[in-house]
Amino acid sequence: MLEGAIAGLTAGGAYAVLGLCLTLMYRLGRVVNLAQAAIGVVGVYTMSVLADGGVPYFVAVLAGLVAAALVAAGLGYMMGRWFAEAGTDQRSAIAIAYLVGLLAIEYLVFGTDPRQIPGVLGGPLATVGGVTITQAAAVCVAAAVLITAGVSVFLARTAVGLRLRALSQRPTTAELMGIPSRRLGVGLWAVTGVLATAVLLVVAPQQNSDQLSLGLMVIPACAAALVGGFRSLVGTAVGGLALGALQGALAHVSQLQEFRDVVPFVAILAILLWSQRGEVWDAAR
Amino acid sequence: MTSSLVLDDVTVARGGAPIVRGVSLTAPAGEVTALLGPNGAGKTTLLESVSGVIPITGGTVSLNGGRLNALDRVARARAGIAHVEQGRTVFPDLTVAENILVVRRGPGVIDKALELFPELHKRLDVAASLLSGGEQQMLVLARALAARPSALLIDEMSLGLAPVIVQRLLPVVRDLAASGVAVLLVEQFATLALKIADTAHVLSGGTLTYSGPAAGLRSAPERLHAAYLGEPLPGVAGGS
């Protein structure tokens, strides 16, 4: 079971990183970006197509990251251009449209068949107490930790981070102070698109890598972001890693194995019920 | 050339309905220009059209001789327009220092911005949401100053503040103008604004019903009442 939990940290790290992207987009961009993982799929599949065509792996990876950044920036530009004054609910609904549209375009461009995604992190890193730690799990956990720390420092210590925080609190006031919301918004979309691609490039070779499965990794990422209340970066990272570890552990329990994919949904439901407990209790009374 | 904010025949509509019609006025540098009028007269709408929050549908807005019409609100801010909105719009989760640094970074920026508000110096690390209403209004003014504007638009500065705080802020606005900034002050409480204004304009029903020296309204309150009721007064200069 412990080995399963450790193995689950690969997916857990991906949930954490995607969840961090969701939390950043919610806090700074006023949107629950359900297209986050689908944007990453653009990068992963671009890399895969290029690598299959003979392009060296790391060049293909770079091209995939650039492709995802461009797609994300384009979507962010449209959001800032046409929906700048829209509320979080409306912007999130538009993100769902982005998700559906992206998946449709990805099917048209890359075909409907699952691809074998090439990777370089397939092997074990170390064995501790009989438990094997894979390279992918180590990289995903390290990525979650480093991104959490890096983003926290970036937001607290840099001029751009400060401006992003101001924009998230009072967008109109920030613009009246000369803060370029559209440019910063596009940058935020592009950076989160790159992060999503980077983490999916690590996990895609380890699992079922059809576009829909990868694109819907946004659901456990949402559960992770909910653990952090869509505010706390540390809470999101811990939530993502814990979800992945729990799923991995359940995969090693024969009676519960088939329920492992339900874990994110149960987590989302439980967190929403818990967060609404006061209102539910008041209504019941 | 003396810097100034000039509105020429400005018309603004919301949802197709004209809110402000043919307003022309000048806010010269170094002076406080009061824009007065009853609730719903279009004062806030006019300020928002100057700073680019909403587009104007006719006329021109210019600053220091340069037309602003084609610029968005970010570009207008960079051109020298600072808009202090209604409601003490601090960035609540940022500290006092961060609220200022978000506009401009560099050595001495905070000290310069807080020259007129020394009481905020000892609260630099406090979240803006924890300040009193008066302190928040001071912070908003200090933040606007940090942008080193040519024109400062202030909307309903006294709203929700204790009279003692308002008395503290009025001379500060006067000092700001004296430093060379063109101040356009929107205020529902006319007597407050007239205390410090050089020029006054009264907006009623979307049109100017008085434009002239503030002293002309200070010394004759009945003229102010008539202007509020929308009666054009003799000698209305139409902003000239």
Side-chain angles (χ1 to χ4, degrees):
Chain A
M1 197 161 172
L2 179 61
E3 182 138 9
I6 298 289
L9 287 177
T10 308
Y15 301 159
V17 173
L18 290 171
L20 289 168
C21 292
L22 289 178
T23 299
L24 283 174
M25 290 294 279
Y26 181 78
R27 275 177 58 180
L28 307 176
R30 295 177 293 121
V31 60
V32 179
N33 184 17
L34 293 174
Q36 192 68 67
I39 292 169
V41 173
V42 172
V44 171
Y45 268 61
T46 300
M47 182 280 288
S48 177
V49 167
L50 291 175
D52 287 352
V55 174
Y57 176 75
F58 286 106
V59 175
V61 165
L62 190 61
L65 293 172
V66 170
L70 290 175
V71 168
L75 297 176
Y77 177 81
M78 284 193 278
M79 192 69 89
R81 180 82 177 82
W82 293 315
F83 307 106
E85 305 295 335
T88 303
D89 293 353
Q90 288 167 290
R91 290 161 72 90
S92 301
I94 292 158
I96 294 173
Y98 282 176
L99 168 65
V100 175
L102 267 181
L103 286 174
I105 292 169
E106 284 162 7
Y107 279 132
L108 282 173
V109 173
F110 299 116
T112 53
D113 295 332
R115 299 182 73 91
Q116 182 59 48
I117 307 295
V120 293
L121 298 170
L125 177 71
T127 302
V128 181
V131 177
T132 302
I133 300 169
T134 65
Q135 293 174 5
V139 166
C140 282
V141 172
V145 171
L146 288 175
I147 291 171
T148 303
V151 168
S152 299
V153 171
F154 174 79
L155 290 178
R157 299 285 172 82
T158 68
V160 175
L162 186 58
R163 289 177 163 208
L164 282 168
R165 286 160 60 206
L167 262 174
S168 72
Q169 292 171 37
R170 288 190 184 277
T172 301
T173 302
E175 287 184 335
L176 289 172
M177 296 287 103
I179 296 173
S181 63
R182 202 172 293 167
R183 204 187 318 154
L184 288 174
V186 167
L188 179 65
W189 276 77
V191 168
T192 54
V194 166
L195 290 177
T197 301
V199 76
L200 289 183
L201 282 170
V202 177
V203 295
Q206 323 293 324
Q207 64 171 57
N208 185 4
S209 55
D210 68 275
Q211 295 163 53
L212 190 61
S213 300
L214 290 174
L216 292 184
M217 282 182 76
V218 77
I219 292 172
C222 273
L226 268 173
V227 171
F230 276 93
R231 298 289 309 170
S232 163
L233 299 177
V234 173
T236 299
V238 170
L241 292 170
L243 271 178
L246 182 60
Q247 276 187 316
L250 289 181
H252 279 60
V253 180
S254 55
Q255 296 91 332
L256 299 174
Q257 202 171 35
E258 59 189 308
F259 298 111
R260 52 177 289 198
D261 290 337
V262 179
V263 169
F265 295 99
V266 172
I268 289 172
L269 190 63
I271 294 164
L272 288 177
L273 283 173
W274 177 254
S275 66
Q276 299 297 312
R277 65 193 182 285
E279 290 175 32
V280 172
W281 177 246
D282 287 345
R285 280 194 297 178
Chain B
M1 184 183 73
T2 314
S3 64
S4 60
L5 174 69
V6 179
L7 280 63
D8 183 20
D9 200 21
V10 168
T11 297
V12 188
R14 280 185 193 267
I19 305 295
V20 173
R21 291 185 294 259
V23 167
S24 298
L25 62 84
T26 299
E31 291 189 12
V32 176
T33 304
L35 182 60
L36 311 174
N39 250 343
K43 306 184 297 295
T44 295
T45 298
L46 187 60
L47 278 203
E48 289 180 340
S49 72
V50 173
S51 62
V53 175
I54 54 174
I56 64 170
T57 45
T60 58
V61 177
S62 53
L63 180 67
N64 304 335
R67 275 173 63 115
L68 301 180
N69 288 37
L71 304 182
D72 65 15
R73 61 188 82 160
V74 174
R76 289 187 196 201
R78 292 178 172 186
I81 298 278
H83 183 169
V84 174
E85 304 156 278
Q86 267 184 46
R88 304 190 292 275
T89 52
V90 294
F91 298 114
D93 294 342
L94 304 189
T95 65
V96 169
E98 286 174 332
N99 261 276
I100 294 166
L101 292 173
V102 78
V103 177
R104 184 184 299 277
R105 290 194 156 213
V109 167
I110 292 178
D111 289 340
K112 181 75 181 163
L114 295 183
E115 252 175 14
L116 298 171
F117 309 104
E119 50 269 70
L120 289 180
H121 256 298
K122 54 182 181 291
R123 313 209 67 187
L124 286 178
D125 295 326
V126 175
S129 60
L130 300 177
L131 300 178
S132 68
E135 288 172 327
Q136 287 184 345
Q137 190 62 280
M138 290 178 201
L139 177 56
V140 167
L141 287 168
R143 187 181 65 194
L145 279 183
R148 294 193 288 208
S150 298
L152 179 59
L153 320 177
I154 306 177
D155 195 1
E156 303 286 9
M157 184 181 70
S158 67
L159 202 68
L161 293 181
V164 65
I165 300 295
V166 177
Q167 294 302 329
R168 160 80 179 85
L169 292 177
L170 285 176
V172 170
V173 174
R174 184 69 254 174
D175 291 346
L176 289 178
S179 70
V181 178
V183 176
L184 181 56
L185 175 66
V186 160
E187 185 56 62
Q188 198 178 335
F189 299 107
T191 48
L192 288 176
L194 290 173
K195 279 183 183 174
I196 57 166
D198 301 284
T199 308
H201 302 270
V202 180
L203 195 61
S204 181
T207 57
L208 287 182
T209 53
Y210 177 87
S211 289
L217 295 179
R218 264 197 305 266
S219 58
E222 69 282 1
R223 288 168 65 89
L224 181 62
H225 295 153
Y228 261 58
L229 293 172
E231 298 169 15
L233 297 176
V236 170
S240 59

